[in-house]
Amino acid sequence: MDGEADGSVTVSEDSGRRRRVHGMLKLYYGLNEEGKTPEQPESLDPCDINGPHFDPELYLNKLRRECSLAELMDQETCMVKQIRSLDSDMQTLVYENYNKFISATDTIRKMKNDFKKMEDEMDCLSANMAAITDFSARISGTLQDQHTQITKLSGVHTLLRKLQFLFELPARLNKCLELQAYAQAVSSHRRARCVLQQYSHLPSFKGIQDDCHAIMDKLAQELRQKFRDGGSSAKDLSECVELLLQLDEPAEELCDKFLSHARSRLESDLQGLEAEIRPYPSTSALKDASARRSSSAAPVGSPTDGSPKTSSLSSPSSNTDILEFIDRGCNEFVSSLCLVITSYQELFINHAQTGELASKNIPQMANGKLHAFVDDLAARYFSLVERRIQEEKGVGDNSLLVRALDRFHRRLQAVAKLLPGSAVPNQGTEIVIRAATERVKQYLCALQSFYMDSLTDVRQALATPRLSVAGASVAGGGALLGGPASGRDAPTSLPELLSSLSASILNQIKSVLASVHLFTAKDITFSNKPYFKGEFCSQGVRESLVVSFIKFLCQSSRQFCESAGDKGGSTPPALLLLLSRLCLDYETSTISYILTLTDEQFLVQHHSPVTPVTSLCAEAREAAQKLLNHYVKVQGLIISQMLRKSVETRDWVNTIEPRNVRAVMKRVVEDTTSIDVQVGLLYEEGVRKAHSSDSSKRTFSVYSSSRQQARYAASYTPSAPMDTNLLSNIHKLFSERIDIFSSVEFNKVSVMTGIIKISLKTFLECVRLRTFGRYGLQQIQVDCHYLQMYLWRFVSDENLVHFLLDEIVGSSAHRCLDPAPMEQSVIEVICERG
């Protein structure tokens, strides 16, 4: 064995080497694989060593100019190796061909000897064939007379048998009629009909013809009666129609009768299918069923649920599921329809084309009637199928629906093969596409409902007393997407609420995609059709489901910004903050991840226009920005409301000398701190400007102006404030303009700056509407110093707080009847004590 293997390896190596040698020689001589010179344009380059115009001198001069000495030596070495290799290969080829020439010479010599022997045998065979031909001619001449007599007797015998068949035909037909062997009777009559017609002028043949006509009329009546009874099987019916056609019955009338009989059977199948589709219950029944469901069912829609939550009532379930319904329709109606089509075509179209009725143009007439018949019944069947599909309202499991649609689509392909040009397969395909599209819409509604229910659960979790406003580290009051949950399972802070909400939505989307993916499985016939897969994956799943849900999420989140009242409407501020972070996360990564997952899972080919990822990300970012701006506005209005009431409900002219910081200022600082913690749970810190080392002990510039007013108190007249106002207005011209309601950035410092700007601006505007006494001014000084001690920590630029507080104290001083400011040291003592 080893020797054989070594020998095979050696032979293969030798053959490979020969091929290489031959290839090199063909390349050298400019031959192709067939040994012919390829028709290529001749190279005119004199430096082309393989061209016909090669000039050695020019080639050498070019090499000497362009190559170094080492390259010239390498070139020479390479050329010498090629020359030696070609010489060796040519020598080997000559040796091999020499052996072949010797072998060919021996073969030709042997063939000459063999052909000589073969010529002798052919001569002998030719002589034998001539002898056989001569002997056969002598035998034919001897038997010629007897052969003529035998032929004549055979003709007489055949004629006698035919006459015997004709005389026995009436009895034979009656016997077939008694035994109900209608096919045999018609066949016998057709065999004798032409002869009887030809010799009908003879009395004996005329009598036989009349008897046969009477018998065949009776047979035709029995066939018509059997056809009208409608109790026969499809096979018997086909036989009846075929026999009536052979008896020259009108083809159009037979077509109508055949289709009418078939219609009664098919309509009974349709009635059976319609009986399985229950009518929709009344409105009261729906309400009662819904109430029973809501009272008895446990909370659904937790993050661990595998199917989308839907609040819709389950479909009015039929006796059978959708797969059994489609199976029954296919096995009964479609199968019967295919059998009718096959039988009809065999009887009226295919047979008529080759039979006696071909000249009457029956196939076109019969084909038109068949198309109208099939279209009418198929339309009723499709109506029932669509009604049954519409009952599939649940979005839990798609497998039965997909299998049913696959079976429905597959069985209709049989109709397409049997009846080319029919619109039935296309109508069935449209039903499949509409069912898949409607299923996608149901999943979109389920996702939207799930998202809104999740937001309701989040609002309930935010409203529970055990979850602080800041969403710090206290225990949560309920599960995100379900009913009451234990403290261990419930989200306990804003980050956990956000993570749970985002994860549940993402898991729900993945679950929906997995369910919809069943429509594109490899074993589903319609999934591979170009008219379904491309449009369904691109426009159905990606656009109508995923993109629409992302847009709905952004749009519904933006709607929380539209209901604004004195305190920002009924939307909890924490929910606005959480939704803004959710939309920002979608813009950052989630949208790209979801669309990439969809494209990979469904192999989406972007042939038709689709929504780009950048557009969705921009929409999500816009929603996040709007939510965050509204959150700043709402929180600012809440604090502003406290400050406004604290200013409007106090008598600032007759107030007592301040001894403490007012409680509302402490509440403002506490609420601001709580908001800072709340925002810090979801957003990064942000960038602050460098703070001065004595920010908490800074004295306002207004204090100095107040002291100036005290210095000139003896000469304080109504014209004095004009000078002070003029100085204040000149100072404002050179100060930076503050935009109160500007958009905030996605960080904690920017959010807190916006809230504090709104709050202090409201405080300033309320102060400008009041009149102050001496102690009222001093109370404003104490309050502003207390706010300055704490609020500067939350903003991006502490000068903004200082400027607004300066404005507040300055406005109070301008509206003070007795502007006598409190000493700074006393203010600090009161604030530190407070």
Side-chain angles (χ1 to χ4, degrees):
M1 294 296 292
D2 294 340
E4 292 178 1
D6 293 342
S8 63
V9 171
T10 304
V11 170
S12 62
E13 289 179 353
D14 292 342
S15 62
R17 186 171 179 275
R18 291 193 192 98
R19 283 195 296 270
R20 288 196 302 270
V21 171
H22 293 169
M24 293 180 68
L25 287 173
K26 288 177 180 179
L27 181 62
Y28 177 77
Y29 287 110
L31 301 177
N32 54 19
E33 292 298 329
E34 289 137 0
K36 298 180 181 179
T37 304
E39 296 181 0
Q40 296 179 353
E42 295 182 354
S43 175
L44 301 178
D45 186 8
C47 294
D48 184 6
I49 197 170
N50 296 321
H53 300 282
F54 175 67
D55 191 342
E57 293 297 331
L58 291 177
Y59 181 71
L60 289 175
N61 293 333
K62 181 179 178 183
L63 287 180
R64 283 195 292 269
R65 285 196 310 269
E66 297 178 356
C67 301
S68 61
L69 181 59
E71 292 175 346
L72 287 173
M73 294 179 68
D74 293 339
Q75 187 78 12
E76 181 187 10
T77 303
C78 179
M79 191 172 296
V80 169
K81 288 182 179 180
Q82 290 180 1
I83 292 172
R84 291 176 179 174
S85 177
L86 287 174
D87 290 341
S88 176
D89 293 339
M90 188 179 297
Q91 196 173 23
T92 303
L93 189 61
V94 169
Y95 290 154
E96 291 177 355
N97 288 335
Y98 179 74
N99 294 332
K100 291 179 181 178
F101 290 151
I102 294 175
S103 176
T105 303
D106 295 340
T107 303
I108 291 171
R109 185 181 299 110
K110 185 177 180 181
M111 287 175 63
K112 286 183 178 180
N113 297 331
D114 293 340
F115 275 117
K116 180 63 177 175
K117 183 178 180 182
M118 190 179 297
E119 287 177 358
D120 296 340
E121 291 179 356
M122 290 297 294
D123 292 340
C124 180
L125 180 61
S126 177
N128 292 335
M129 290 295 293
I132 292 172
T133 303
D134 182 58
F135 187 67
S136 176
R138 288 201 301 272
I139 292 176
S140 297
T142 303
L143 298 178
Q144 181 67 35
D145 296 336
Q146 296 180 3
H147 180 269
T148 302
Q149 295 177 1
I150 291 172
T151 302
K152 188 179 297 183
L153 291 175
S154 176
V156 173
H157 180 263
T158 302
L159 180 60
L160 292 175
R161 288 182 60 187
K162 289 182 179 180
L163 290 174
Q164 183 182 4
F165 176 79
L166 290 176
F167 288 121
E168 294 177 354
L169 182 60
R172 187 189 298 270
L173 293 178
N174 285 324
K175 187 68 174 177
C176 290
L177 198 61
E178 293 176 2
L179 298 177
Q180 295 185 350
Y182 302 126
Q184 185 177 354
V186 172
S187 177
S188 300
H189 180 261
R190 285 173 60 85
R191 287 171 55 191
R193 184 170 56 183
C194 295
V195 177
L196 292 174
Q197 183 67 28
Q198 182 178 359
Y199 297 101
S200 59
H201 59 283
L202 300 177
S204 57
F205 286 96
K206 179 65 175 176
I208 295 173
Q209 185 181 23
D210 293 340
D211 293 341
C212 291
H213 282 169
I215 296 172
M216 295 311 294
D217 289 341
K218 184 178 179 181
L219 185 146
Q221 290 179 357
E222 291 187 6
L223 288 176
R224 294 191 194 97
Q225 184 63 34
K226 185 177 181 181
F227 188 83
R228 284 193 296 268
D229 289 343
S232 56
S233 63
K235 182 178 180 181
D236 294 339
L237 183 64
S238 301
E239 184 179 357
C240 285
V241 173
E242 185 173 2
L243 294 177
L244 287 171
L245 276 177
Q246 293 177 6
L247 293 175
D248 295 333
E249 288 290 320
E252 186 171 357
E253 182 180 349
L254 288 177
C255 289
D256 293 337
K257 290 182 179 180
F258 182 89
L259 295 178
S260 176
H261 180 78
R263 181 184 292 274
S264 63
R265 286 181 166 274
L266 292 173
E267 284 183 347
S268 65
D269 294 337
L270 292 177
Q271 291 173 0
L273 291 176
E274 190 171 9
E276 294 189 8
I277 304 178
R278 295 181 178 178
Y280 288 99
S282 61
T283 306
S284 59
L286 285 174
K287 292 181 179 178
D288 295 341
S290 178
R292 289 195 301 270
R293 174 182 290 271
S294 60
S295 61
S296 61
V300 296
S302 61
T304 57
D305 288 344
S307 61
K309 180 172 71 174
T310 174
S311 59
S312 63
L313 185 68
S314 63
S315 61
S317 58
S318 304
N319 295 330
T320 57
D321 57 37
I322 181 67
L323 182 60
E324 293 177 358
F325 178 85
I326 295 297
D327 273 343
R328 178 174 178 179
C330 292
N331 295 333
E332 295 180 0
F333 174 78
V334 179
S335 297
S336 300
L337 183 64
C338 291
L339 182 61
V340 168
I341 293 173
T342 303
S343 303
Y344 185 90
Q345 288 176 336
E346 288 294 327
L347 293 176
F348 299 108
I349 298 177
N350 298 337
H351 283 183
Q353 290 175 349
T354 57
E356 300 175 356
L357 304 176
S359 60
K360 296 183 179 181
N361 203 18
I362 292 177
Q364 287 77 3
M365 177 273 298
N367 196 34
K369 289 182 175 293
L370 179 62
H371 275 274
F373 170 81
V374 171
D375 291 344
D376 181 30
L377 288 176
R380 294 178 55 188
Y381 173 62
F382 290 155
S383 176
L384 295 176
V385 170
E386 287 199 281
R387 284 174 54 189
R388 183 61 184 86
I389 291 175
Q390 289 174 1
E391 291 184 2
E392 297 296 311
K393 298 295 185 183
V395 289
D397 186 11
N398 264 340
S399 57
L400 284 179
L401 177 62
V402 173
R403 288 167 58 194
L405 292 176
D406 176 56
R407 201 157 298 176
F408 172 74
H409 180 271
R410 187 177 301 176
R411 292 299 294 272
L412 288 182
Q413 303 310 309
V415 179
K417 294 179 180 179
L418 291 175
L419 197 62
S422 174
V424 171
N426 293 334
Q427 295 173 357
T429 301
E430 292 175 0
I431 291 178
V432 173
I433 295 175
R434 284 198 297 270
T437 305
E438 183 63 28
R439 201 64 167 177
V440 169
K441 292 180 180 178
Q442 294 175 11
Y443 275 113
L444 176 61
C445 293
L447 280 176
Q448 293 173 350
S449 176
F450 176 83
Y451 174 68
M452 299 308 296
D453 292 343
S454 300
L455 290 187
T456 302
D457 295 336
V458 170
R459 296 183 70 160
Q460 293 176 355
L462 292 173
T464 182
R466 286 180 290 176
L467 186 64
S468 65
V469 177
S473 58
V474 293
L480 175 60
L481 299 177
S486 62
R488 181 183 62 183
D489 298 331
T492 59
S493 65
L494 277 179
E496 293 181 4
L497 276 174
L498 175 63
S499 176
S500 180
L501 175 63
S502 180
S504 63
I505 294 174
L506 188 59
N507 290 335
Q508 204 70 11
I509 292 175
K510 290 181 179 179
S511 175
V512 166
L513 290 178
S515 299
V516 177
H517 192 261
L518 293 176
F519 284 97
T520 61
K522 293 183 178 179
D523 57 340
I524 304 300
T525 54
F526 60 81
S527 67
N528 297 320
K529 302 297 182 183
Y531 53 76
F532 177 84
K533 188 170 185 179
E535 191 71 17
F536 177 74
C537 294
S538 178
Q539 297 299 320
V541 178
R542 190 186 191 275
E543 293 297 309
S544 299
L545 180 61
V546 178
V547 173
S548 296
F549 175 70
I550 293 174
K551 290 183 177 180
F552 169 80
L553 185 146
C554 298
Q555 182 179 0
S556 60
S557 300
R558 286 197 301 268
Q559 289 177 354
F560 286 102
C561 305
E562 295 175 358
S563 58
D566 292 339
K567 294 186 178 180
S570 59
T571 305
L575 180 61
L576 296 173
L577 184 66
L578 186 143
L579 289 178
S580 70
R581 184 67 211 190
L582 177 67
C583 292
L584 185 63
D585 290 342
Y586 267 67
E587 184 267 338
T588 305
S589 59
T590 309
I591 291 178
S592 299
Y593 171 74
I594 292 175
L595 291 181
T596 302
L597 179 66
T598 304
D599 293 345
E600 291 177 352
Q601 191 169 353
F602 288 87
L603 300 176
V604 176
Q605 303 293 332
H606 296 167
H607 298 307
S608 54
V610 295
T611 305
V613 179
T614 54
S615 175
L616 292 176
C617 291
E619 187 171 351
R621 188 174 185 86
E622 179 186 356
Q625 185 70 62
K626 190 172 182 180
L627 285 165
L628 194 59
N629 292 341
H630 192 62
Y631 172 79
V632 170
K633 181 180 178 181
V634 170
Q635 293 287 35
L637 290 177
I638 292 174
I639 298 177
S640 298
Q641 186 74 359
M642 291 190 298
L643 292 172
R644 184 174 66 85
K645 289 182 178 180
S646 70
V647 174
E648 293 178 350
T649 57
R650 191 180 183 93
D651 185 3
W652 293 98
V653 177
N654 300 318
T655 185
I656 62 174
E657 184 178 0
R659 291 290 181 266
N660 293 303
V661 179
R662 286 190 301 154
V664 68
M665 298 302 164
K666 298 179 181 178
R667 177 68 183 276
V668 168
V669 173
E670 290 175 358
D671 287 357
T672 305
T673 305
S674 176
I675 294 171
D676 181 73
V677 174
Q678 187 183 70
V679 176
L681 292 173
L682 298 180
Y683 284 100
E684 301 295 332
E685 181 70 21
V687 180
R688 301 175 185 269
K689 291 186 178 180
H691 294 162
S692 62
S693 59
D694 58 346
S695 297
S696 61
K697 298 184 181 299
R698 180 184 181 279
T699 58
F700 299 117
S701 61
V702 171
Y703 297 163
S704 60
S705 64
S706 299
R707 294 190 186 96
Q708 291 175 5
Q709 291 180 6
R711 185 182 307 166
Y712 300 108
S715 61
Y716 188 75
T717 61
S719 62
M722 294 299 294
D723 299 333
T724 308
N725 289 336
L726 180 60
L727 293 174
S728 177
N729 291 332
I730 293 174
H731 177 68
K732 290 179 182 178
L733 290 175
F734 294 97
S735 62
E736 185 178 356
R737 181 179 179 273
I738 299 175
D739 191 359
I740 302 299
F741 293 100
S742 60
S743 295
V744 296
E745 298 177 1
F746 295 103
N747 57 71
K748 184 178 72 171
V749 172
S750 180
V751 172
M752 295 307 300
T753 301
I755 295 173
I756 291 174
K757 283 194 299 183
I758 295 174
S759 304
L760 295 184
K761 184 64 174 177
T762 304
F763 193 12
L764 173 62
E765 297 302 326
C766 292
V767 165
R768 287 176 175 173
L769 298 176
R770 310 297 294 178
T771 303
F772 296 87
R774 171 186 295 183
Y775 297 132
L777 172 61
Q778 293 178 2
Q779 184 66 57
I780 292 295
Q781 287 181 278
V782 173
D783 292 344
C784 288
H785 185 77
Y786 183 81
L787 292 177
Q788 186 271 334
M789 289 175 59
Y790 295 98
L791 296 186
W792 67 271
R793 298 178 176 87
F794 302 117
V795 297
S796 58
D797 187 3
E798 60 179 296
N799 292 325
L800 184 142
V801 175
H802 299 329
F803 177 77
L804 289 174
L805 293 175
D806 284 343
E807 285 287 313
I808 294 170
V809 177
S811 296
S812 302
H814 294 160
R815 288 156 181 79
C816 182
L817 300 177
D818 184 14
M822 182 179 287
E823 291 295 331
Q824 182 64 24
S825 58
V826 179
I827 295 175
E828 293 176 358
V829 170
I830 293 174
C831 292
E832 290 174 359
R833 185 179 59 194

mmCIF file of all heavy atoms in Angstrom, residues 140-164:
data_model
loop_
_atom_site.group_PDB
_atom_site.id
_atom_site.type_symbol
_atom_site.label_atom_id
_atom_site.label_comp_id
_atom_site.label_asym_id
_atom_site.label_seq_id
_atom_site.Cartn_x
_atom_site.Cartn_y
_atom_site.Cartn_z
ATOM 1 N N SER A 140 -40.386 -15.613 -50.976
ATOM 2 C CA SER A 140 -41.534 -14.698 -51.151
ATOM 3 C C SER A 140 -42.280 -14.985 -52.439
ATOM 4 O O SER A 140 -43.516 -14.929 -52.492
ATOM 5 C CB SER A 140 -41.021 -13.251 -51.146
ATOM 6 O OG SER A 140 -40.435 -12.920 -49.908
ATOM 7 N N GLY A 141 -41.592 -15.265 -53.493
ATOM 8 C CA GLY A 141 -42.258 -15.593 -54.758
ATOM 9 C C GLY A 141 -43.082 -16.860 -54.659
ATOM 10 O O GLY A 141 -44.157 -16.958 -55.249
ATOM 11 N N THR A 142 -42.597 -17.859 -53.925
ATOM 12 C CA THR A 142 -43.312 -19.134 -53.791
ATOM 13 C C THR A 142 -44.608 -18.957 -53.004
ATOM 14 O O THR A 142 -45.656 -19.519 -53.330
ATOM 15 C CB THR A 142 -42.409 -20.162 -53.102
ATOM 16 O OG1 THR A 142 -41.197 -20.309 -53.844
ATOM 17 C CG2 THR A 142 -43.113 -21.510 -53.013
ATOM 18 N N LEU A 143 -44.607 -18.088 -51.899
ATOM 19 C CA LEU A 143 -45.764 -17.946 -51.008
ATOM 20 C C LEU A 143 -46.671 -16.785 -51.381
ATOM 21 O O LEU A 143 -47.580 -16.457 -50.615
ATOM 22 C CB LEU A 143 -45.281 -17.738 -49.570
ATOM 23 C CG LEU A 143 -44.466 -18.897 -48.972
ATOM 24 C CD1 LEU A 143 -44.014 -18.543 -47.561
ATOM 25 C CD2 LEU A 143 -45.289 -20.185 -48.947
ATOM 26 N N GLN A 144 -46.498 -16.135 -52.509
ATOM 27 C CA GLN A 144 -47.267 -14.945 -52.859
ATOM 28 C C GLN A 144 -48.743 -15.247 -53.003
ATOM 29 O O GLN A 144 -49.601 -14.525 -52.493
ATOM 30 C CB GLN A 144 -46.712 -14.331 -54.153
ATOM 31 C CG GLN A 144 -47.425 -13.066 -54.594
ATOM 32 C CD GLN A 144 -47.205 -11.916 -53.624
ATOM 33 O OE1 GLN A 144 -46.115 -11.813 -53.059
ATOM 34 N NE2 GLN A 144 -48.233 -11.107 -53.411
ATOM 35 N N ASP A 145 -49.097 -16.338 -53.685
ATOM 36 C CA ASP A 145 -50.498 -16.669 -53.923
ATOM 37 C C ASP A 145 -51.215 -16.986 -52.621
ATOM 38 O O ASP A 145 -52.342 -16.530 -52.363
ATOM 39 C CB ASP A 145 -50.582 -17.853 -54.891
ATOM 40 C CG ASP A 145 -50.007 -17.504 -56.269
ATOM 41 O OD1 ASP A 145 -49.995 -16.272 -56.577
ATOM 42 O OD2 ASP A 145 -49.584 -18.399 -56.977
ATOM 43 N N GLN A 146 -50.580 -17.790 -51.776
ATOM 44 C CA GLN A 146 -51.211 -18.139 -50.490
ATOM 45 C C GLN A 146 -51.395 -16.907 -49.596
ATOM 46 O O GLN A 146 -52.390 -16.790 -48.884
ATOM 47 C CB GLN A 146 -50.349 -19.180 -49.766
ATOM 48 C CG GLN A 146 -50.259 -20.492 -50.533
ATOM 49 C CD GLN A 146 -49.395 -21.520 -49.796
ATOM 50 O OE1 GLN A 146 -48.927 -21.241 -48.685
ATOM 51 N NE2 GLN A 146 -49.181 -22.680 -50.422
ATOM 52 N N HIS A 147 -50.476 -15.960 -49.613
ATOM 53 C CA HIS A 147 -50.577 -14.757 -48.786
ATOM 54 C C HIS A 147 -51.778 -13.906 -49.200
ATOM 55 O O HIS A 147 -52.498 -13.346 -48.359
ATOM 56 C CB HIS A 147 -49.284 -13.939 -48.915
ATOM 57 C CG HIS A 147 -49.284 -12.674 -48.092
ATOM 58 N ND1 HIS A 147 -49.722 -11.457 -48.588
ATOM 59 C CD2 HIS A 147 -48.920 -12.446 -46.805
ATOM 60 C CE1 HIS A 147 -49.619 -10.539 -47.649
ATOM 61 N NE2 HIS A 147 -49.119 -11.119 -46.546
ATOM 62 N N THR A 148 -52.064 -13.844 -50.530
ATOM 63 C CA THR A 148 -53.210 -13.069 -51.013
ATOM 64 C C THR A 148 -54.517 -13.683 -50.531
ATOM 65 O O THR A 148 -55.438 -12.980 -50.102
ATOM 66 C CB THR A 148 -53.174 -13.012 -52.537
ATOM 67 O OG1 THR A 148 -51.938 -12.440 -52.970
ATOM 68 C CG2 THR A 148 -54.323 -12.174 -53.088
ATOM 69 N N GLN A 149 -54.621 -15.016 -50.573
ATOM 70 C CA GLN A 149 -55.829 -15.691 -50.109
ATOM 71 C C GLN A 149 -56.040 -15.478 -48.611
ATOM 72 O O GLN A 149 -57.169 -15.255 -48.155
ATOM 73 C CB GLN A 149 -55.741 -17.186 -50.436
ATOM 74 C CG GLN A 149 -55.736 -17.476 -51.932
ATOM 75 C CD GLN A 149 -55.581 -18.971 -52.221
ATOM 76 O OE1 GLN A 149 -55.496 -19.782 -51.294
ATOM 77 N NE2 GLN A 149 -55.512 -19.323 -53.501
ATOM 78 N N ILE A 150 -54.966 -15.578 -47.848
ATOM 79 C CA ILE A 150 -55.075 -15.399 -46.386
ATOM 80 C C ILE A 150 -55.542 -13.990 -46.058
ATOM 81 O O ILE A 150 -56.381 -13.774 -45.180
ATOM 82 C CB ILE A 150 -53.732 -15.707 -45.711
ATOM 83 C CG1 ILE A 150 -53.426 -17.204 -45.817
ATOM 84 C CG2 ILE A 150 -53.738 -15.258 -44.255
ATOM 85 C CD1 ILE A 150 -52.027 -17.570 -45.336
ATOM 86 N N THR A 151 -55.043 -12.975 -46.769
ATOM 87 C CA THR A 151 -55.438 -11.588 -46.525
ATOM 88 C C THR A 151 -56.907 -11.391 -46.817
ATOM 89 O O THR A 151 -57.636 -10.699 -46.076
ATOM 90 C CB THR A 151 -54.594 -10.651 -47.398
ATOM 91 O OG1 THR A 151 -53.211 -10.838 -47.123
ATOM 92 C CG2 THR A 151 -54.950 -9.197 -47.147
ATOM 93 N N LYS A 152 -57.396 -11.992 -47.880
ATOM 94 C CA LYS A 152 -58.810 -11.856 -48.252
ATOM 95 C C LYS A 152 -59.694 -12.484 -47.189
ATOM 96 O O LYS A 152 -60.718 -11.914 -46.783
ATOM 97 C CB LYS A 152 -59.029 -12.500 -49.620
ATOM 98 C CG LYS A 152 -60.420 -12.256 -50.189
ATOM 99 C CD LYS A 152 -60.544 -12.917 -51.562
ATOM 100 C CE LYS A 152 -59.565 -12.306 -52.554
ATOM 101 N NZ LYS A 152 -59.746 -12.907 -53.922
ATOM 102 N N LEU A 153 -59.336 -13.699 -46.745
ATOM 103 C CA LEU A 153 -60.117 -14.363 -45.706
ATOM 104 C C LEU A 153 -60.121 -13.560 -44.412
ATOM 105 O O LEU A 153 -61.140 -13.494 -43.708
ATOM 106 C CB LEU A 153 -59.558 -15.775 -45.473
ATOM 107 C CG LEU A 153 -59.757 -16.780 -46.606
ATOM 108 C CD1 LEU A 153 -59.049 -18.101 -46.280
ATOM 109 C CD2 LEU A 153 -61.247 -17.042 -46.841
ATOM 110 N N SER A 154 -59.003 -12.941 -44.077
ATOM 111 C CA SER A 154 -58.927 -12.134 -42.844
ATOM 112 C C SER A 154 -59.845 -10.922 -42.923
ATOM 113 O O SER A 154 -60.506 -10.548 -41.954
ATOM 114 C CB SER A 154 -57.480 -11.670 -42.622
ATOM 115 O OG SER A 154 -57.396 -10.827 -41.502
ATOM 116 N N GLY A 155 -59.924 -10.287 -44.097
ATOM 117 C CA GLY A 155 -60.831 -9.157 -44.264
ATOM 118 C C GLY A 155 -62.270 -9.565 -44.090
ATOM 119 O O GLY A 155 -63.072 -8.845 -43.474
ATOM 120 N N VAL A 156 -62.650 -10.728 -44.678
ATOM 121 C CA VAL A 156 -64.021 -11.214 -44.538
ATOM 122 C C VAL A 156 -64.347 -11.489 -43.083
ATOM 123 O O VAL A 156 -65.442 -11.168 -42.594
ATOM 124 C CB VAL A 156 -64.217 -12.473 -45.407
ATOM 125 C CG1 VAL A 156 -65.585 -13.117 -45.148
ATOM 126 C CG2 VAL A 156 -64.075 -12.145 -46.885
ATOM 127 N N HIS A 157 -63.387 -12.085 -42.340
ATOM 128 C CA HIS A 157 -63.599 -12.395 -40.925
ATOM 129 C C HIS A 157 -63.798 -11.118 -40.092
ATOM 130 O O HIS A 157 -64.689 -11.042 -39.234
ATOM 131 C CB HIS A 157 -62.397 -13.190 -40.403
ATOM 132 C CG HIS A 157 -62.523 -13.558 -38.961
ATOM 133 N ND1 HIS A 157 -61.941 -12.823 -37.951
ATOM 134 C CD2 HIS A 157 -63.187 -14.585 -38.365
ATOM 135 C CE1 HIS A 157 -62.229 -13.360 -36.796
ATOM 136 N NE2 HIS A 157 -62.982 -14.455 -37.005
ATOM 137 N N THR A 158 -63.010 -10.100 -40.403
ATOM 138 C CA THR A 158 -63.162 -8.831 -39.675
ATOM 139 C C THR A 158 -64.498 -8.185 -39.938
ATOM 140 O O THR A 158 -65.164 -7.659 -39.034
ATOM 141 C CB THR A 158 -62.025 -7.876 -40.081
ATOM 142 O OG1 THR A 158 -60.767 -8.469 -39.813
ATOM 143 C CG2 THR A 158 -62.127 -6.556 -39.325
ATOM 144 N N LEU A 159 -64.961 -8.254 -41.215
ATOM 145 C CA LEU A 159 -66.251 -7.677 -41.561
ATOM 146 C C LEU A 159 -67.387 -8.414 -40.855
ATOM 147 O O LEU A 159 -68.331 -7.790 -40.362
ATOM 148 C CB LEU A 159 -66.432 -7.734 -43.082
ATOM 149 C CG LEU A 159 -67.747 -7.158 -43.628
ATOM 150 C CD1 LEU A 159 -67.866 -5.685 -43.260
ATOM 151 C CD2 LEU A 159 -67.820 -7.338 -45.152
ATOM 152 N N LEU A 160 -67.292 -9.732 -40.799
ATOM 153 C CA LEU A 160 -68.319 -10.511 -40.100
ATOM 154 C C LEU A 160 -68.371 -10.163 -38.620
ATOM 155 O O LEU A 160 -69.454 -10.079 -38.031
ATOM 156 C CB LEU A 160 -68.061 -12.015 -40.316
ATOM 157 C CG LEU A 160 -68.271 -12.549 -41.739
ATOM 158 C CD1 LEU A 160 -67.852 -14.020 -41.820
ATOM 159 C CD2 LEU A 160 -69.729 -12.389 -42.161
ATOM 160 N N ARG A 161 -67.203 -9.961 -38.010
ATOM 161 C CA ARG A 161 -67.189 -9.594 -36.584
ATOM 162 C C ARG A 161 -67.832 -8.226 -36.380
ATOM 163 O O ARG A 161 -68.564 -8.005 -35.403
ATOM 164 C CB ARG A 161 -65.757 -9.585 -36.070
ATOM 165 C CG ARG A 161 -65.154 -10.980 -35.922
ATOM 166 C CD ARG A 161 -63.756 -10.915 -35.357
ATOM 167 N NE ARG A 161 -63.776 -10.272 -34.025
ATOM 168 C CZ ARG A 161 -62.675 -9.964 -33.342
ATOM 169 N NH1 ARG A 161 -61.487 -10.177 -33.882
ATOM 170 N NH2 ARG A 161 -62.794 -9.424 -32.153
ATOM 171 N N LYS A 162 -67.581 -7.280 -37.297
ATOM 172 C CA LYS A 162 -68.187 -5.948 -37.170
ATOM 173 C C LYS A 162 -69.695 -6.034 -37.313
ATOM 174 O O LYS A 162 -70.445 -5.374 -36.570
ATOM 175 C CB LYS A 162 -67.610 -5.011 -38.221
ATOM 176 C CG LYS A 162 -66.162 -4.608 -37.976
ATOM 177 C CD LYS A 162 -65.673 -3.646 -39.039
ATOM 178 C CE LYS A 162 -64.226 -3.233 -38.771
ATOM 179 N NZ LYS A 162 -63.718 -2.277 -39.795
ATOM 180 N N LEU A 163 -70.163 -6.879 -38.322
ATOM 181 C CA LEU A 163 -71.603 -7.021 -38.496
ATOM 182 C C LEU A 163 -72.230 -7.660 -37.269
ATOM 183 O O LEU A 163 -73.317 -7.263 -36.821
ATOM 184 C CB LEU A 163 -71.896 -7.856 -39.758
ATOM 185 C CG LEU A 163 -71.573 -7.183 -41.100
ATOM 186 C CD1 LEU A 163 -71.768 -8.155 -42.241
ATOM 187 C CD2 LEU A 163 -72.462 -5.956 -41.297
ATOM 188 N N GLN A 164 -71.542 -8.633 -36.700
ATOM 189 C CA GLN A 164 -72.040 -9.276 -35.492
ATOM 190 C C GLN A 164 -72.129 -8.261 -34.349
ATOM 191 O O GLN A 164 -73.099 -8.235 -33.591
ATOM 192 C CB GLN A 164 -71.135 -10.441 -35.109
ATOM 193 C CG GLN A 164 -71.643 -11.212 -33.895
ATOM 194 C CD GLN A 164 -70.698 -12.347 -33.511
ATOM 195 O OE1 GLN A 164 -69.629 -12.498 -34.119
ATOM 196 N NE2 GLN A 164 -71.097 -13.141 -32.536
#
